[in-house]
Amino acid sequence: MKGYFKANLGDDLFLKVLADRYPNEKFEILTTPELYKYYASFKNVHIVKQNFLFKVVDKMLLFFSSGGIYKLLKHRYSAVIEIGGSIFPQPKDDLSLTKERKFLEKNFKNYFVIGSNFGPYSSEKFIDNYKDFFKKISGTVFRDRKSKKLFSDLKNVTYAPDVVLNLKNNEKTSYELIEKQYVAVSVIDLGYSDISRNENIKNFKESYEANILTAIVNFARLGYDIKFVPFSEKQNDLTISNDLAKKLKVINIETNIEVLAKANIDEKVKTIRESSYLISTRYHSMILGWVFGIKQEVFIYADKTRNVIEDLFPQQYAYDILQDQDYTFNLDSFNTMNHVEDIRKNAEKQFYFLDHFLA
């Protein structure tokens, strides 16, 4: 299975939903030795450690074949599943497919893409190259209509709401057992470089963090505890969470503040599920807010968030970071999707092509 398996909660939720949906299937992922224990809780997921020996063998094989380590591993698999969100951003210097994708497409009859959006992009050539790729593989399901529309002439490309909307919500929160009401907060580092982000977003880092601070200060003054839920330590969520927590403590020393630095996947999901309100910057924080019915304000930092709100819930209370308008905290405007069960049924279509293959 191909994906971004680097302890990013959003991508980890993709893996969780997929593994739970097919408990009798065996999946295999590649990740670093440091993250082996982190992913070990998935019972039907085998982990290949990208240790020193792995890297040496991969480099040697890349000298002879574009597939690298997959040249050695391909006989173990009946299919390739590439699952992830922003996995098709346009690079600055190369508009062609990655060498890895070229190899896997040529060497596997069954290749599925699940849960992604396409772009950002600026070149028609980039779109054409991927149109040829999507045409050749078994099936692609995008998570926004805008991406699907780019490839509307391909019968094996379709759309369904986000994979994580399939997350099971069997546990009902008993708010009487929660000692203190709290707000869950998901933040990002706008200064972090990523080709899937608009470069101009870095210019809004200072104002964005000031606006988040305004929101949590207001919640603190209303008596709420604050719990930061970092989605990706690698992308500096934890650093920004700690910085904002320190600033809040200076302003309101009495506030109970927690940063979930070492929490696992289930603990982070539980924290969001049991929150009173939610401040979402991470895309999948917003999705979890919808799944669990938590009233939230979304800070939009990318097209993927903007497009999915437009597709599924245009009424979502949101602040668009790139518009850089004056920010005003308004608790009465916090809201959430009230028709999530209907959306959830449609979200199962993310697995349309894979279901047919496994059947």
Side-chain angles (χ1 to χ4, degrees), residues 190 200-209 321-324:
L190 293 187
N200 292 333
I201 199 107
K202 293 181 179 180
N203 299 325
F204 301 97
K205 176 179 169 65
E206 187 176 334
S207 61
Y208 159 70
E209 292 177 21
I321 294 169
L322 281 168
Q323 290 184 6
D324 196 29

Side-chain angles (χ1 to χ4, degrees), residues 113-130:
V113 172
I114 297 173
S116 70
N117 51 267
F118 192 83
Y121 62 88
S122 59
S123 168
E124 289 297 322
K125 179 66 175 175
F126 183 69
I127 297 174
D128 290 341
N129 287 337
Y130 270 93

Side-chain angles (χ1 to χ4, degrees), residues 96-281:
S96 61
L97 271 69
T98 62
K99 292 180 179 179
E100 191 177 83
R101 282 189 180 124
K102 286 180 181 177
F103 176 85
L104 294 174
E105 178 270 310
K106 288 180 179 178
N107 286 272
F108 283 88
K109 180 182 178 182
N110 304 298
Y111 189 149
F112 304 92
V113 172
I114 297 173
S116 70
N117 51 267
F118 192 83
Y121 62 88
S122 59
S123 168
E124 289 297 322
K125 179 66 175 175
F126 183 69
I127 297 174
D128 290 341
N129 287 337
Y130 270 93
K131 183 174 288 188
D132 186 58
F133 167 69
F134 293 134
K135 185 188 301 181
K136 292 176 180 176
I137 67 173
S138 305
T140 298
V141 186
F142 288 116
R143 66 181 178 185
D144 67 308
R145 291 188 173 94
K146 191 174 181 180
S147 295
K148 193 268 181 189
K149 191 175 180 179
L150 291 170
F151 309 98
S152 57
D153 56 329
L154 300 182
K155 293 182 179 179
N156 63 338
V157 174
T158 188
Y159 155 80
D162 194 90
V163 167
V164 178
L165 287 160
N166 290 280
L167 190 69
K168 295 177 181 177
N169 185 20
N170 295 330
E171 297 185 49
K172 300 299 182 183
T173 300
S174 177
Y175 291 99
E176 292 78 12
L177 299 178
I178 300 174
E179 293 182 7
K180 182 96 175 183
Q181 291 185 316
Y182 65 87
V183 178
V185 184
S186 154
V187 292
I188 64 171
D189 178 10
L190 293 187
Y192 181 83
S193 294
D194 190 309
I195 62 171
S196 68
R197 295 186 189 179
N198 185 325
E199 274 295 306
N200 292 333
I201 199 107
K202 293 181 179 180
N203 299 325
F204 301 97
K205 176 179 169 65
E206 187 176 334
S207 61
Y208 159 70
E209 292 177 21
N211 292 339
I212 293 288
L213 185 61
T214 295
I216 58 178
V217 165
N218 275 279
F219 271 118
R221 287 172 177 164
L222 290 170
Y224 289 90
D225 292 348
I226 306 296
K227 295 190 180 185
F228 288 92
V229 187
F231 273 51
S232 173
E233 185 172 352
K234 184 177 185 295
Q235 295 179 359
N236 301 335
D237 292 24
L238 180 57
T239 301
I240 302 301
S241 296
N242 283 326
D243 288 347
L244 288 167
K246 290 175 183 176
K247 290 177 181 177
L248 174 59
K249 200 68 175 175
V250 170
I251 296 170
N252 196 328
I253 196 170
E254 301 297 326
T255 304
N256 292 317
I257 308 167
E258 183 180 358
V259 178
L260 278 68
K262 300 297 180 183
N264 61 30
I265 299 168
D266 291 335
E267 288 169 337
K268 289 182 179 181
V269 171
K270 183 174 185 286
T271 298
I272 290 176
R273 187 181 69 241
E274 295 184 349
S275 63
S276 305
Y277 290 97
L278 180 59
I279 296 173
S280 297
T281 309

